[in-house]
Amino acid sequence: KKLLNAKVLVAGAGGLGCPALLYLTAAGTGTIGIVDFDVVDISNLQRQILYGVDDIGKSKAETAAKKLNSFNPEIEFRKYDLKLDNQNALKIIADYDLVIDGTDNFQTRYIINDACVLLDKPLVYGAVMRFEGQAGVFNYKDDDNGTKTNYRDLFPNPPDAGSVVNCNEVGVLGVVPGIIGTIQAAEAIKIITGIGDVLCSSVISYNILTNSFFKFAISKSEK
């Protein structure tokens, strides 16, 4: 019942968003919002598992919703074929219980984070590059110390434009976003249902080459 009544917004229907969307759909999450302004490209297919060659050139938000509806037609899918920005983020996010960030650029990550802080919405973070990935939960109360951390406690300020490469430039092994996106879905399900230890005030890092997981704590920034 908790899953059926839940509303989850997935920002980015790409390498992270696709597996997260699949498992949220399979779990029976009642309302799922999908935000993505991009279209399917042939270079996406090695990691964005909701799409095939027949989908090239089509809207990711529309295509993902159509595919997912065939898996579970009882779910309400809301499609946003647009880019989250300072003008629309608050209005869109306000209608959801939590947000999964599957975006791949710093500008949008900060916009999503700040909107979630203002609206007091949990944010499930994920990031990938080459052979590594990270996942964590922000803006969620840590029962151990009663604090809430957010993305700015990890990275206080955005990097200068062009100073940091992204996975489109350096690549990513396709299974890495599959693993991280699945972890994001798991954390969302834990938050919704109230089970287990939520990955708040910490980030888990995974390296596929060394088959290693590393978990590090995040403390509240003094600024």
Side-chain angles (χ1 to χ4, degrees), residues 17 68 71 86 101 107 124 149 164 173 217:
L68 294 164
F71 299 144
N86 290 321
D101 183 1
Q107 180 184 19
V124 184
T149 57
V164 179
L173 189 63

Side-chain angles (χ1 to χ4, degrees), residues 18 26 53 56 59 117 129 131 153 164 184 198 201 215 221:
C18 284
V53 291
I56 293 172
S59 160
V117 170
M129 187 177 294
F131 307 107
D153 293 316
V164 179
Q184 289 181 279
V198 174
S201 296
K215 184 178 179 182
S221 173

Side-chain angles (χ1 to χ4, degrees), residues 16 125-128 133-135 175-185 204 206:
L16 294 169
Y125 157 76
V128 293
Q134 294 181 344
V175 296
V176 175
I179 293 166
I180 301 300
T182 302
I183 291 174
Q184 289 181 279
I204 194 168
Y206 173 65

Side-chain angles (χ1 to χ4, degrees), residues 125-143:
Y125 157 76
V128 293
M129 187 177 294
R130 301 190 71 196
F131 307 107
E132 298 180 76
Q134 294 181 344
V137 175
F138 296 125
N139 207 44
Y140 187 85
K141 186 176 180 180
D142 188 338
D143 290 334

Side-chain angles (χ1 to χ4, degrees), residues 13-15 18 39-58 60 63 67 168 172-175 177:
C18 284
V39 297
V40 179
D41 184 82
I42 192 170
S43 64
N44 303 149
L45 303 186
Q46 50 85 258
R47 66 191 183 279
Q48 301 183 17
I49 55 175
L50 278 173
Y51 315 119
V53 291
D54 292 339
D55 301 316
I56 293 172
K58 297 179 182 178
K60 288 184 179 179
T63 304
K67 297 281 183 73
N168 284 331
V172 61
L173 189 63
V175 296

Side-chain angles (χ1 to χ4, degrees), residues 7 19 24 38 40 87-88 118-119 122 124 133 178 181 184 187-188 191:
K7 297 179 180 179
L24 289 172
D38 205 0
V40 179
Q87 304 300 314
N88 59 32
L118 289 171
L119 296 167
V124 184
Q184 289 181 279
E187 292 302 307
I191 292 169

Side-chain angles (χ1 to χ4, degrees), residues 134-200:
Q134 294 181 344
V137 175
F138 296 125
N139 207 44
Y140 187 85
K141 186 176 180 180
D142 188 338
D143 290 334
D144 291 336
N145 55 33
T147 63
K148 289 182 180 179
T149 57
N150 68 75
Y151 188 65
R152 289 186 182 272
D153 293 316
L154 181 61
F155 300 111
N157 299 300
D160 294 333
S163 64
V164 179
V165 295
N166 59 42
C167 67
N168 284 331
E169 296 170 312
V170 299
V172 61
L173 189 63
V175 296
V176 175
I179 293 166
I180 301 300
T182 302
I183 291 174
Q184 289 181 279
E187 292 302 307
I189 291 170
K190 285 158 62 179
I191 292 169
I192 293 166
T193 58
I195 61 171
D197 296 323
V198 174
L199 197 58
C200 58

